């Protein structure tokens, strides 16, 4: 099953042609890792999947990304809706300077949910899905900034899940964390693919081998290989 079809995608930062004719089907309920050397376009490509780099000045994008039956670059597409359906977690944990509860409730509130019962349920479910509920359930009203880095990153995952996305984009989301926290996020990613589709940028090949089902290998703006991870890393 394919959840997103990328067709002939090109991207320029001014004169710099950063992505060349990328076509790939993103498999549903799988983990796809974007790999390749620094500067090859992994992060740029990831951000094209929820139009996170539209804001960059001088950027030009051609081609299509078909999701939910339409091109996400079509003029009528509601980018706020898109970013809710295709959530994102960044390299450094970036919780809002507010309570753990309010971090999770923030997205649902901006989408008009005000009922305390509903918000309580969303907060609990999201924190459970992000495997952090047991650690924080007794301090939901304390500041998120008091958590460890690894906990903050799982909170950021929970915050993305709170608006019920289909796809979760992770941009080097463990590279600022210690090995134990990294292991927890890797386990979590594997758990998440039962309900969600995960696309992750990693510079860590071992991580790609450990957690991903598919790998997309980029070199200098080209997608040079896309295949099952096992196949890509098997010795012929
Ligand atoms: P990776 O994630 O693989 O390290 P990036 O997607 O960050 O690569 O970058 C791909 C290329 O595009 C690099 O040459 C980088 O310098 C360039 N680039 C990235 N972001 C911008 C930007 N905002 N403006 C101009 N060039 C950029
Ligand atoms: P990361 O390793 O997290 O991708 P970078 O140092 O590559 O961080 O990029 C940091 C920011 O600068 C990003 O927003 C990226 O898009 C932008 N950037 C990267 N390369 C360039 C460039 N050549 N010109 C302008 N902006 C760039």
């Amino acid at each position: 099953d394919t959840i997103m079809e990328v067709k002939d995608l090109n991207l320029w930062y001014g004169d710099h042609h950063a992505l060349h004719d990328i076509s790939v089907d993103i498999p549903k309920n799988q983990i796809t890792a974007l790999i390749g050397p620094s500067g090859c376009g992994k992060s740029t490509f990831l951000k094209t999947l929820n139009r996170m780099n539209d804001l960059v000045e001088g950027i030009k994008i051609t081609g299509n990304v078909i999701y939910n039956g339409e091109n996400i670059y079509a003029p009528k597409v509601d980018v706020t809706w898109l970013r809710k359906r295709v959530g994102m977690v960044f390299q450094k944990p970036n919780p809002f300077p507010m309570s753990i509860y309010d971090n999770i409730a923030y997205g649902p509130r901006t989408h008009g949910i005000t009922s305390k019962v509903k918000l309580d349920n969303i907060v609990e479910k999201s924190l459970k899905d992000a495997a952090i509920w047991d650690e924080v359930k007794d301090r939901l009203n304390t500041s998120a900034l008091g958590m460890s880095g690894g906990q903050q990153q799982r909170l950021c995952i929970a915050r993305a899940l709170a608006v019920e996305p289909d796809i979760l984009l992770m941009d080097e989301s463990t590279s600022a964390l210690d090995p134990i926290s990294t292991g927890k996020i890797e386990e979590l990613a594997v758990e998440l693919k039962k309900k969600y589709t995960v696309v992750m940028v990693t510079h860590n090949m071992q991580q790609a081998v450990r957690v991903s089902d598919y790998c997309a290998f980029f070199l200098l703006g080209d997608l040079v290989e896309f295949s099952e991870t096992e196949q890509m890393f098997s010795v012929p």
Side-chain angles (χ1 to χ4, degrees):
D1 260 21
T2 295
I3 195 159
M4 212 172 225
E5 273 173 74
V6 179
K7 292 183 180 167
D8 298 322
L9 188 80
N10 281 274
L11 183 148
W12 291 262
Y13 292 114
D15 295 337
H16 178 57
H17 193 183
L19 294 175
H20 312 156
D21 277 323
I22 310 294
S23 294
V24 61
D25 291 348
I26 306 290
K28 187 175 174 169
N29 291 108
Q30 303 281 294
I31 300 179
T32 296
L34 310 181
I35 59 174
S38 185
C40 67
K42 305 180 292 294
S43 179
T44 297
F45 177 73
L46 188 77
K47 291 174 194 158
T48 61
L49 303 182
N50 72 346
R51 296 184 55 172
M52 199 52 91
N53 41 22
D54 277 25
L55 304 170
V56 176
E57 210 178 316
I59 203 163
K60 185 182 158 205
I61 299 170
T62 62
N64 294 329
V65 177
I66 310 296
Y67 167 65
N68 201 35
E70 63 187 335
N71 179 16
I72 65 170
Y73 287 96
K76 66 170 179 182
V77 168
D78 175 352
V79 177
T80 308
W81 169 84
L82 175 69
R83 293 194 186 139
K84 185 176 150 187
R85 309 301 305 145
V86 186
M88 187 141 184
V89 181
F90 298 89
Q91 179 171 2
K92 295 208 181 75
N94 58 350
F96 302 135
M98 47 177 83
S99 72
I100 293 170
Y101 185 99
D102 287 340
N103 263 273
I104 307 296
Y106 185 91
R109 279 176 177 142
T110 62
H111 294 111
I113 298 177
T114 53
S115 146
K116 172 142 173 33
V117 176
K118 275 191 194 160
L119 290 172
D120 285 355
N121 284 334
I122 292 170
V123 168
E124 180 169 342
K125 180 179 177 294
S126 309
L127 291 169
K128 281 182 172 163
D129 278 357
I132 192 174
W133 170 251
D134 289 336
E135 288 163 63
V136 302
K137 63 174 190 278
D138 297 325
R139 52 173 174 130
L140 294 177
N141 292 318
T142 65
S143 172
L145 304 182
M147 309 165 87
S148 74
Q151 288 176 328
Q152 289 186 6
Q153 195 63 302
R154 279 179 286 141
L155 180 78
C156 292
I157 293 172
R159 187 174 64 191
L161 300 181
V163 292
E164 303 188 313
D166 268 348
I167 305 178
L168 192 63
L169 308 179
M170 301 173 79
D171 195 355
E172 302 252 21
S173 298
T174 62
S175 62
L177 305 178
D178 62 84
I180 290 175
S181 303
T182 297
K184 283 184 185 165
I185 303 256
E186 288 180 1
E187 271 174 44
L188 173 57
V190 172
E191 202 53 37
L192 288 174
K193 75 178 180 188
K194 293 176 187 162
K195 289 193 200 169
Y196 310 93
T197 296
V198 178
V199 183
M200 56 162 62
V201 169
T202 182
H203 63 261
N204 180 339
M205 293 293 175
Q206 288 162 338
Q207 178 168 72
V209 171
R210 278 196 298 270
V211 306
S212 71
D213 302 293
Y214 289 85
C215 277
F217 182 44
F218 288 80
L219 275 181
L220 292 171
D222 289 308
L223 174 56
V224 294
E225 190 178 349
F226 179 84
S227 60
E228 286 186 47
T229 303
E230 240 171 67
Q231 198 176 325
M232 193 176 293
F233 290 93
S234 68
V235 182

